[in-house]
Amino acid sequence: LRALILIESELWPNRIFEMARRDRPVLLLGARLSARSAARWQRMPALARRLTGAIAYLSAQDPASMDRFATLGLAPERRGPVIDLKAFAPAARPDAADLNALAPLLPRARTLLAASTHEGEEAPILEAFARRWRADPQARLVLAPRHPRRAAQIAALIERAGLGHATRSRGERPGPDRPVLLADTMGEMALWYALAGVSFIGGSLVDKGGHTPFEPAAAGSAILHGPHVANFAAVYGALDRAGAAEGVAGADGLSAALAALDGAEQTRRAACAREVLAGLRAEAPGPDMLIDALEGLIGAPAPTPPAEKEPGNG
């Protein structure tokens, strides 16, 4: 084992310290550290210094994360460029057979995808969609929770909203009496983005930092999001300023946004989003810089982390 490379991963102290013990380098790529996690580490400053001291190279996903790692003690010479790897990932392709089977049941300009939702988000989304469906019975909602194990809980919320639903894992199909498709499966997000003219990106109505806008933009789906987008703050900021995405707060804001997004406006926003994101990619450092850094570091001795002081030694 020549090195440990963690990509867009949580910090795993035991693994990192074990690699340091073996004199092998640890490299973190696409690293992200939330304000909440950083605050927890700051309550253990000696352990945080030991952890960051065992990291040979770190490329953060966003400037705020890099600043937090620096505050925890990451040395300047071990900091690489800030690169959002999701910006350079190739777009996933949906299964063609599934796309052809579902497209007639989910009219794209009338289909909303609620992507990677978290607990606390489904209820306002369903409230907003129920208003839309009452105004337009051909409207459809694909509800794809971040954690499919919550399917039973979400099904109860759908029923409470007065909406019928089909469940993807059971092979059920949406229709006039079941306008909601509960997408309780894994690995099909590319399919849902391809079918939806509008995508609401989850993790943003509740404080989870928001999920990636790159995938819906690549699929040509217009982007809506909530106020909590710290994980991609600069990207969503650029999209919002260009009119390529729109922030909403709660059921009322989402309902109003959906009413204004006809097929032509969806197409305009999606094209604008692709242009904005292409510009951001062109201006940002690319993954080639990381490959060059890795070639120099893999096989090199690991840095020696500072010893953790014993209690009472100052």
Side-chain angles (χ1 to χ4, degrees):
L1 185 64
R2 296 173 61 189
L4 173 63
I5 302 174
L6 300 173
I7 299 177
E8 296 186 354
S9 174
E10 299 289 334
L11 292 173
W12 297 96
N14 288 344
R15 295 180 186 179
I16 292 173
F17 293 150
E18 177 61 20
M19 291 298 291
R21 188 186 68 79
R22 297 185 183 193
D23 199 29
R24 297 290 188 271
V26 177
L27 306 99
L28 274 65
L29 309 181
R32 187 171 70 210
L33 187 65
S34 69
R36 184 178 303 173
S37 295
R40 286 198 293 265
W41 281 106
Q42 285 175 327
R43 292 197 290 270
M44 304 176 285
L47 185 60
R49 286 195 301 272
R50 184 181 170 208
L51 182 73
T52 55
I55 296 171
Y57 183 86
L58 185 145
S59 171
Q61 184 178 110
D62 58 88
S65 289
M66 183 62 85
D67 290 343
R68 292 175 190 127
F69 278 110
T71 298
L72 294 181
L74 183 67
E77 64 272 16
R78 299 178 188 177
R79 304 174 202 165
V82 173
I83 300 178
D84 188 344
L85 296 176
K86 288 185 174 66
F88 297 93
R93 292 174 178 264
D95 181 88
D98 287 334
L99 184 63
N100 291 335
L102 286 168
L105 307 174
L106 297 166
R108 196 167 197 270
R110 289 183 161 101
T111 297
L112 165 68
L113 166 64
S116 298
T117 58
H118 292 254
E119 187 170 3
E121 294 188 306
E122 290 90 8
I125 290 169
L126 287 164
E127 181 182 343
F129 174 73
R131 297 178 196 173
R132 186 68 194 146
W133 181 62
R134 286 192 291 268
D136 177 10
Q138 294 187 58
R140 299 289 181 265
L141 169 65
V142 178
L143 208 170
R146 182 71 169 177
H147 302 113
R149 65 177 180 271
R150 297 180 51 241
Q153 173 192 351
I154 296 168
L157 292 174
I158 297 171
E159 183 178 355
R160 197 174 305 158
L163 297 163
H165 77 281
T167 303
R168 175 64 171 168
S169 63
R170 297 175 185 168
E172 297 171 351
R173 294 156 70 88
D177 59 338
R178 296 195 291 193
V180 180
L181 175 59
L182 176 53
D184 60 337
T185 54
M186 299 289 287
E188 293 194 296
M189 196 59 74
L191 174 63
W192 309 135
Y193 283 128
L195 288 163
V198 181
S199 293
F200 175 84
I201 309 304
S204 62
L205 277 181
V206 295
D207 192 5
K208 297 293 183 180
H211 295 297
T212 174
F214 292 101
E215 293 175 11
S221 188
I223 298 169
L224 299 174
H225 61 85
H228 302 288
V229 291
N231 293 342
F232 299 92
V235 178
Y236 277 111
L239 290 169
D240 289 353
R241 287 191 297 273
E246 181 179 353
V248 300
D252 290 343
L254 180 54
S255 179
L258 290 175
L261 274 170
D262 60 13
E265 180 62 10
Q266 293 170 20
T267 300
R268 186 200 69 78
R269 289 197 193 184
C272 184
R274 286 194 294 269
E275 183 177 343
V276 169
L277 296 181
L280 293 177
R281 280 191 291 267
E283 295 171 2
D288 288 349
M289 295 183 68
L290 300 182
I291 294 172
D292 292 343
L294 298 185
E295 288 178 347
L297 285 164
I298 292 177
T304 302
E308 190 170 0
K309 294 182 180 179
E310 296 293 333
N313 288 350

